[in-house]
Amino acid sequence: MLLFINVAFYVLLGLRFTVTLVAVIAASYGFGLLLNKTKRKKLVLGLSVFVLAGVLITMKYLGFALSLFGVETSGTFLSLAVPIGLSFYALTCIGYLVDVYRGKTPAEKNFVDLSLFVGLFVQIMSGPIPRSYELLAQVKQSRDFDYERLKRGFIRIVFGLFTKLVVADNLAVSANHYFDNPVDANSYNLILAAVIYGIQIYCDFRAYSDIVLGAGEILGFTLMENFKAPYLSSNMREFWRRWHIS
């Protein structure tokens, strides 16, 4: 049922997007089983990463790169919109195959379970990018209704919506006012706008993370924290680890 909801959600975003998603999952399923059987694991892993990364790079960047050299791509598949969430589910599949190669997770033989793991709709558009040995194990677990999980998830979603709709979106109005009219603004206005913008994108990402983790909580999944007070970091390395953890 949950897989059906995932597919319906993604079809509503665009039927042709769903074809790419299914193809990537099917390729990952096949490569995973092959990794489990073959002795030439490095070769299979290299081929799988080449295929999946090739799909990602081709669909996201090849059209843009060719246009820089004056190559006309309109009317070809390169001119089509990039499938929503492609980066996240392609990297999820690559991570899964690397985990199979390293022995951290067994190759998944149930196509439905793998599809749900890769295409879980709450995180497919902007992450977090799940670890197979964490989320795939949860997919296989039976789960009963849990009022406490429902309450925690609902509260987190409401907090995320408040952060996005009340805080971030209103800050965006102020920042955009100066960025859209930089000639009419003085230096102090632009510095203030930059500070406001920094707070805005912080709240945007914080809000999204809360909404996703809250939705996952309601559905019975514990998703990894993807955002941990990055502005309190003491250096750039720590900031990088805290902003988009997965």
Side-chain angles (χ1 to χ4, degrees):
M1 176 60 71
L2 190 52
L3 178 61
F4 173 79
I5 293 171
N6 285 351
V7 173
F9 172 84
Y10 209 72
V11 167
L12 289 174
L13 298 177
L15 184 58
R16 68 178 184 274
F17 297 162
T18 310
V19 174
T20 307
L21 173 61
V22 173
V24 168
I25 293 174
S28 303
Y29 178 75
F31 280 126
L33 294 179
L34 189 57
L35 275 170
N36 205 38
K37 294 179 179 179
T38 185
K39 293 181 179 179
R40 307 184 70 177
K41 295 184 183 296
K42 284 187 178 181
L43 177 62
V44 173
L45 178 65
L47 179 61
S48 65
V49 172
F50 176 79
V51 170
L52 295 175
V55 170
L56 173 60
I57 293 170
T58 299
M59 300 195 78
K60 285 202 74 169
Y61 305 113
L62 184 57
F64 172 73
L66 291 175
S67 67
L68 294 178
F69 295 97
V71 178
E72 182 60 48
T73 59
S74 59
T76 68
F77 79 97
L78 292 174
S79 64
L80 298 175
V82 177
I84 296 172
L86 175 61
S87 298
F88 294 95
Y89 64 75
L91 291 174
T92 296
C93 289
I94 290 174
Y96 157 72
L97 293 169
V98 171
D99 287 340
V100 172
Y101 170 79
R102 291 177 173 173
K104 288 187 174 182
T105 190
E108 182 53 58
K109 298 178 180 179
N110 188 316
F111 187 75
V112 171
D113 287 349
L114 183 66
S115 299
L116 184 56
F117 158 68
V118 175
L120 188 61
F121 74 95
V122 297
Q123 63 182 14
I124 195 170
M125 292 196 294
S126 295
I129 300 169
R131 303 293 187 266
S132 61
Y133 48 84
E134 294 175 349
L135 185 58
L136 193 52
Q138 294 182 54
V139 169
K140 293 181 169 297
Q141 293 173 353
S142 60
R143 52 182 56 79
D144 297 317
F145 176 77
D146 187 335
Y147 174 74
E148 289 302 317
R149 288 194 73 127
L150 176 67
K151 184 171 71 173
R152 288 197 305 269
F154 181 76
I155 290 172
R156 193 155 190 180
I157 288 174
V158 171
F159 182 77
L161 289 172
F162 176 85
T163 306
K164 167 62 178 169
L165 300 175
V166 177
V167 181
D169 286 0
N170 282 298
L171 288 174
V173 174
S174 300
N176 291 340
H177 171 73
Y178 293 113
F179 288 151
D180 291 342
N181 304 282
V183 176
D184 299 329
N186 57 42
S187 301
Y188 299 108
N189 294 144
L190 294 176
I191 292 172
L192 177 62
V195 172
I196 292 173
Y197 178 67
I199 299 172
Q200 175 207 330
I201 60 172
Y202 178 95
C203 291
D204 267 333
F205 206 101
R206 174 75 269 173
Y208 170 78
S209 298
D210 284 330
I211 293 169
V212 167
L213 269 66
E217 189 83 13
I218 289 174
L219 294 173
F221 297 106
T222 301
L223 304 178
M224 69 179 297
E225 293 285 346
N226 205 27
F227 191 80
K228 190 176 181 181
Y231 284 178
L232 299 180
S233 304
S234 59
N235 54 59
M236 284 301 297
R237 179 180 297 179
E238 185 182 357
F239 178 85
W240 180 263
R241 289 200 304 265
R242 287 181 172 211
W243 183 275
H244 201 315
I245 298 170
S246 68

